[in-house]
Amino acid sequence: MPYFDTASTAPLHPVARQALAAALDEGWADPARLYREGRRAALLLDAAREAAAEAVGCRADELVFTPSGTQAVHSGIAGALAGRRRTGRHLVVSAVEHSSVLHAADVHAAAGGSVAQVPVDRSGTVTAGGYADALTASTALACLQSANHEVGTVQPVAEVADVCAEAGVPLLVDAAQSLGWGPVEGAWSVLAASAHKWGGPPGVGLLAVRKGVRFSPQHPADERESGRSPGFVNLPAAVAAAASLRAVRAEAEAEAARLRVLVDRIRRRVARLVPDVEVVGHPDRRLPHLVTFSCLYVDGETLLHELDKAGYSVSSGSSCTSSTLTPSHVLRAMGVLSEGNVRVSLPPGTTAEDVNGFLEVLPAAVARVRAALGSPEAEPVEPVADSVEVDALGLRCPQPVIELARAVRTVPVGGTVTVVSDDEVARLDVPAWCSLRGHDYLGEEPRPQGTAYTVRRRS
Amino acid sequence: MPYFDTASTAPLHPVARQALAAALDEGWADPARLYREGRRAALLLDAAREAAAEAVGCRADELVFTPSGTQAVHSGIAGALAGRRRTGRHLVVSAVEHSSVLHAADVHAAAGGSVAQVPVDRSGTVTAGGYADALTASTALACLQSANHEVGTVQPVAEVADVCAEAGVPLLVDAAQSLGWGPVEGAWSVLAASAHKWGGPPGVGLLAVRKGVRFSPQHPADERESGRSPGFVNLPAAVAAAASLRAVRAEAEAEAARLRVLVDRIRRRVARLVPDVEVVGHPDRRLPHLVTFSCLYVDGETLLHELDKAGYSVSSGSSCTSSTLTPSHVLRAMGVLSEGNVRVSLPPGTTAEDVNGFLEVLPAAVARVRAALGSPEAEPVEPVADSVEVDALGLRCPQPVIELARAVRTVPVGGTVTVVSDDEVARLDVPAWCSLRGHDYLGEEPRPQGTAYTVRRRS
């Protein structure tokens, strides 16, 4: 049964499993103790740190193991901000960072700090110029992901690092999605990563802080892991993480080339096989194994259920699947359609047959979901008025856009439709729909209830 | 080779190993995902939570898995303090809490909160009255361990919980050392524990927060684990933790009875076999598997090396073994001798032969260390003066006490010896030595360098 959600968590690599079993035997004791079991554990921990540091491209004494990638990000941001408190309390992040980064930024803002978000283009890419514009004399830290977790776009980390270095600002890189594929290029200052994303075990993150970077840990004092990660170190998992990182790196180049061909096929075929679909993310500067597309007039959660029934496990950035009913901040920042969103991230070893099978079931799955919702463009309709207002209050994604699509056919070319919606997603998907369909998006205005979005029919 | 340091970390229980292997197969996916691998993981996580909650004695929705016991303590204290910020910023802890509790209290104090330490008696026990005295109208939280990690003394948690409940103050219990032996009695509000202490895997702590307790998590927002433990949950380890807790509980009563006999033997024999030894901790209200003793005129680190060479892995609260050169805060709070300190904590399955073997090698090991340091009481000496001052500046534990013991023999009964030391441990060990030897401790006074401790010879 093909599992296509490696960007959430990768299946455990066989090397990780072997290393974990061995380290549970040899490395269960406290590495801080002086007796033989402790000394043996300390040797294993040292070796794991050396191996992980080599893969990261840093010194062993710059790297600590944390209990998760999220905690590496939280500790890294808090420690770097505190280390440069005298410089100022300004934090720069991209608009498409992982929620762990944005939530750490929220904590900083709530404590009186300021946060600037660097925008991205429609491919999800930041520019070095965007960072240069955002940096101020009081910027304590800048953060940038190495590659985006939802759309796979690879960021220009080395260029942004240069801009930051010139300004004397440390750059923290969230390398969670890319570290298995290769080291992060450029002069980063702090790096965070997560082992279960590359096939390592859960329970291990990496936090690397370059020598010379001012860093002041913000959690209660704890002498373990250079004072940067409190708690008894999860040694067997750290050993398994390091061993599996080395193993996936050895296979990375060949596997990336292989998966890139399969993802290219998905990108091409989806656009051909599924009507009204938008493939999102950068077409070239992207992770080799990940592709995201959005399907007009589709409820993402229902589509995921359909694909699950057909045997395919994929993920979605659609708000339709989330309990919060807000659209993916990544898709929003990119300004692309969010409804019917599907993220496919292939694990190593995925075959052409797996991908072909997915491409066979996808069009029918999308068609079933659309049929259940009722296609808004099935039959020709005569215009009834020059301008129409549609009450979509209480309707959730993708219904407001479906209502809009139905209504547009009831006005002549040049006529306008205003859809009133209290669904946050409409703010993203109405303009995205206009862009897909070639209509003019005229803007929004607040209403006593919800927001009015107005569109001019162009064809 | 007997490993007698279970209080640091217990060898992995076979059930934990089996459950971990099974959960790595079945529970590797993200339990928040809706596809089949995610649903399977969510079922496993639910079952683990139910099992752990049952063993803790709380509802499943009151319990979350954290990456370590330390983080459960840190998050529990920070969340409970923040939840009652309106009441006040006063925190009450015992003087013998684990360093994770005291370091969280340090953070609270550094942020402007106040902290009161409840004292203990020579057995390491707090009293409910001590807590009653410490609680004020602005007390936000009280913390008490279920049992002490260094000396094994069991605390009167239920009585302290009653006192706290009467004052309307929540009680956080650090149950790290006792949870494998049984649930914590009494009306606690928040409970923290650590799986690797009972034979579960590393990488898992438990944090239980009773319904109705005001609790406000202080880390960046994260929807996992009820918002109380950020990061991808270490599901296989959580499953192994719950399964092994159930397993050790099933064996707890019989194993406690068996180990209690062995520990009683150590307590009796050590006092008989080793001269000038002080067995510390409560003789009855104590953990079944743990015993601590201190040996006069012995360097703890050297003794640990001797015992390690003889095949026994034990731990020490002596400052002599620590990089910080401060004595164990637990032994200091108890007012007992800290030099030559040894903690023996037996894992389940320890045999009488293991213990007998230890008791055979211990006296010779102590004698070797003492011989190397030079016994201060070997031969009779004629008094030379009524009062003597000894310069012990720069000497480290146990040397200042050895110098004192030598000097006392050079004054007549009724004469005084003043030892000047810059070793923090002298503050603890000089009075403890007087108490052991039956001399009068007259007090300390600061000197330009170090501190002067004065003793009157009584016999």
Side-chain angles (χ1 to χ4, degrees):
Chain A
M1 301 287 271
Y3 171 80
F4 286 171
D5 197 21
T6 297
S8 283
T9 192
L12 197 66
H13 193 284
V15 165
R17 181 181 296 262
Q18 290 158 17
L20 189 64
L24 284 168
D25 287 334
E26 296 293 316
W28 55 271
D30 184 344
R33 298 293 176 187
L34 301 172
Y35 42 70
R36 62 197 174 287
E37 295 90 346
R39 295 194 303 268
R40 208 158 56 201
L43 286 176
L44 280 175
L45 183 59
D46 287 348
R49 198 184 312 280
E50 288 282 351
E54 195 191 331
V56 166
C58 68
R59 292 164 42 163
D61 61 356
E62 294 172 332
L63 184 137
V64 301
F65 295 106
T66 68
S68 65
T70 295
Q71 294 214 5
V73 163
H74 291 176
S75 299
I77 291 177
L81 284 172
R84 283 177 43 91
R85 202 176 274 147
R86 285 190 197 172
T87 301
R89 303 194 65 195
H90 186 240
L91 171 65
V92 174
V93 301
S94 90
V96 295
E97 293 301 307
H98 187 266
S99 59
S100 60
V101 172
L102 297 181
H103 289 154
D106 290 344
V107 165
H108 180 62
S114 62
V115 180
Q117 284 203 357
V118 176
V120 295
D121 62 18
R122 269 187 82 86
S123 78
T125 314
V126 302
T127 62
Y131 272 78
D133 292 346
L135 297 176
T136 73
S138 65
T139 302
L141 178 68
C143 301
L144 177 61
Q145 63 197 187
S146 54
N148 186 267
H149 51 294
E150 283 195 35
V151 300
T153 298
V154 169
Q155 303 292 357
V157 171
E159 296 164 42
V160 171
D162 285 346
V163 163
C164 290
E166 215 163 297
V169 172
L171 177 68
L172 179 148
V173 176
D174 170 13
Q177 289 296 333
S178 77
L179 198 67
W181 297 110
V184 173
E185 305 289 330
W188 51 266
S189 305
V190 182
L191 182 144
S194 174
H196 74 96
K197 303 286 190 188
W198 70 64
V204 191
L206 304 182
L207 173 61
V209 181
R210 292 271 194 214
K211 287 287 159 201
V213 174
R214 288 185 188 187
F215 195 87
S216 172
Q218 291 304 289
H219 45 69
D222 192 303
E223 64 195 11
R224 292 166 285 201
E225 292 298 290
S226 308
R228 290 178 180 165
S229 183
F232 189 72
V233 65
N234 190 345
L235 200 153
V239 168
S244 56
L245 180 54
R246 204 194 271 260
V248 299
R249 279 291 185 78
E251 306 152 356
E253 198 178 343
E255 194 62 24
R258 223 175 55 74
L259 293 182
R260 192 170 277 277
V261 170
L262 298 179
V263 165
D264 279 340
R265 181 182 304 175
I266 297 175
R267 291 180 70 90
R268 282 194 318 272
R269 295 272 175 97
V270 161
R272 250 186 284 160
L273 295 170
V274 181
D276 297 325
V277 74
E278 183 175 12
V279 178
V280 299
H282 200 286
D284 305 314
R285 283 188 54 93
R286 59 177 172 78
L287 293 169
H289 66 304
L290 194 157
V291 54
T292 302
F293 52 87
S294 298
C295 306
L296 204 56
Y297 313 139
V298 164
D299 167 355
E301 180 159 339
T302 309
L303 179 56
L304 257 50
H305 279 308
E306 287 287 335
L307 292 170
D308 178 45
K309 275 194 280 181
Y312 295 89
S313 300
V314 296
S315 189
S316 174
S318 290
S319 66
C320 325
T321 60
S322 136
S323 53
T324 56
L325 292 176
T326 54
S328 147
H329 69 275
V330 173
L331 301 178
R332 184 160 50 184
M334 294 165 66
V336 298
L337 188 74
S338 84
E339 66 186 37
N341 181 258
V342 172
R343 177 183 70 182
V344 176
S345 51
L346 308 177
T350 301
T351 64
E353 288 66 40
D354 294 334
V355 165
N356 290 344
F358 175 73
L359 289 170
E360 263 168 45
V361 305
L362 178 69
V366 171
R368 277 197 299 277
V369 178
R370 281 178 175 159
L373 289 167
S375 168
E377 298 172 48
E379 291 161 31
V381 170
E382 282 304 305
V384 296
D386 279 351
S387 74
V388 165
E389 178 160 319
V390 179
D391 177 356
L393 290 170
L395 298 181
R396 292 285 159 257
C397 155
Q399 293 287 5
V401 169
I402 290 176
E403 294 297 319
L404 169 62
R406 285 199 176 110
V408 157
R409 305 170 66 233
T410 68
V411 300
V413 170
T416 62
V417 173
T418 297
V419 59
V420 182
S421 169
D422 53 2
D423 185 10
E424 258 303 298
V425 194
R427 182 161 288 122
L428 173 55
D429 282 350
V430 170
W433 178 85
C434 291
S435 164
L436 274 176
R437 277 289 174 264
H439 300 304
D440 289 339
Y441 176 61
L442 301 183
E444 61 169 77
E445 58 176 347
R447 285 289 172 85
Q449 260 196 297
T451 304
Y453 303 91
T454 302
V455 172
R456 173 176 290 126
R457 181 171 177 179
R458 287 295 299 272
S459 60
Chain B
M1 303 287 270
Y3 171 80
F4 287 171
D5 196 21
T6 297
S8 283
T9 194
L12 196 65
H13 194 284
V15 165
R17 182 181 295 262
Q18 289 157 17
L20 188 66
L24 283 169
D25 287 335
E26 296 293 317
W28 55 271
D30 184 345
R33 296 293 175 186
L34 301 172
Y35 42 70
R36 63 197 174 287
E37 295 90 346
R39 296 193 303 269
R40 207 157 58 200
L43 287 174
L44 279 176
L45 184 58
D46 288 348
R49 197 184 312 282
E50 288 282 351
E54 195 191 330
V56 166
C58 68
R59 293 165 39 164
D61 60 357
E62 293 172 333
L63 183 138
V64 301
F65 295 106
T66 68
S68 65
T70 295
Q71 294 214 4
V73 163
H74 290 177
S75 298
I77 291 178
L81 284 172
R84 283 177 41 92
R85 201 175 276 146
R86 284 189 199 172
T87 300
R89 304 195 63 196
H90 186 239
L91 170 66
V92 175
V93 300
S94 91
V96 295
E97 294 300 308
H98 187 265
S99 59
S100 60
V101 172
L102 298 181
H103 288 154
D106 289 344
V107 166
H108 180 62
S114 61
V115 179
Q117 284 203 357
V118 176
V120 296
D121 62 17
R122 267 188 84 86
S123 77
T125 315
V126 302
T127 62
Y131 272 79
D133 291 346
L135 297 176
T136 72
S138 65
T139 303
L141 177 68
C143 302
L144 177 61
Q145 63 198 184
S146 55
N148 186 268
H149 51 295
E150 282 194 37
V151 300
T153 298
V154 169
Q155 303 292 356
V157 171
E159 295 164 43
V160 171
D162 286 346
V163 163
C164 290
E166 213 163 297
V169 172
L171 177 69
L172 179 147
V173 176
D174 170 13
Q177 289 297 333
S178 77
L179 198 68
W181 297 111
V184 174
E185 306 287 332
W188 52 265
S189 304
V190 182
L191 182 143
S194 175
H196 74 95
K197 303 286 190 187
W198 70 66
V204 191
L206 304 182
L207 174 61
V209 181
R210 293 270 194 215
K211 288 285 160 205
V213 174
R214 288 186 188 186
F215 195 87
S216 172
Q218 292 304 291
H219 44 69
D222 192 304
E223 63 196 11
R224 293 166 284 203
E225 292 299 289
S226 307
R228 290 179 181 165
S229 184
F232 190 71
V233 65
N234 191 345
L235 200 153
V239 168
S244 57
L245 180 54
R246 204 193 270 262
V248 298
R249 279 290 186 77
E251 306 151 357
E253 199 178 342
E255 195 62 22
R258 221 175 56 73
L259 293 183
R260 192 170 277 277
V261 170
L262 298 180
V263 165
D264 279 340
R265 181 181 305 175
I266 297 175
R267 292 180 69 91
R268 281 195 317 273
R269 296 273 175 98
V270 161
R272 249 185 286 161
L273 295 170
V274 180
D276 298 325
V277 75
E278 182 175 12
V279 178
V280 298
H282 200 285
D284 305 314
R285 284 187 54 91
R286 59 176 171 79
L287 292 170
H289 67 304
L290 194 155
V291 53
T292 303
F293 51 88
S294 296
C295 307
L296 204 55
Y297 313 139
V298 163
D299 167 356
E301 180 160 337
T302 309
L303 179 56
L304 258 51
H305 279 307
E306 287 288 335
L307 292 170
D308 178 47
K309 276 195 279 181
Y312 295 89
S313 300
V314 297
S315 190
S316 173
S318 291
S319 66
C320 324
T321 60
S322 133
S323 53
T324 57
L325 293 175
T326 55
S328 147
H329 69 274
V330 172
L331 301 178
R332 184 160 50 184
M334 294 166 66
V336 296
L337 188 73
S338 84
E339 65 187 37
N341 181 259
V342 173
R343 177 183 71 182
V344 176
S345 52
L346 308 177
T350 301
T351 64
E353 289 65 39
D354 294 334
V355 166
N356 290 343
F358 175 73
L359 290 170
E360 262 168 46
V361 305
L362 178 70
V366 172
R368 276 196 300 278
V369 178
R370 281 179 176 158
L373 289 168
S375 168
E377 297 172 50
E379 290 162 33
V381 170
E382 281 305 306
V384 296
D386 280 351
S387 75
V388 164
E389 177 160 320
V390 179
D391 177 358
L393 291 170
L395 298 181
R396 292 286 161 257
C397 155
Q399 293 288 4
V401 170
I402 291 176
E403 294 296 319
L404 169 61
R406 285 199 177 112
V408 157
R409 304 170 67 233
T410 67
V411 302
V413 172
T416 62
V417 173
T418 298
V419 59
V420 182
S421 170
D422 53 2
D423 184 9
E424 258 301 300
V425 192
R427 182 162 287 121
L428 174 56
D429 282 350
V430 170
W433 178 84
C434 290
S435 164
L436 275 176
R437 277 289 174 264
H439 300 304
D440 290 339
Y441 177 62
L442 301 183
E444 62 170 75
E445 57 176 348
R447 286 288 172 89
Q449 260 197 298
T451 304
Y453 304 91
T454 303
V455 172
R456 175 175 291 126
R457 181 173 177 178
R458 288 295 298 272
S459 58

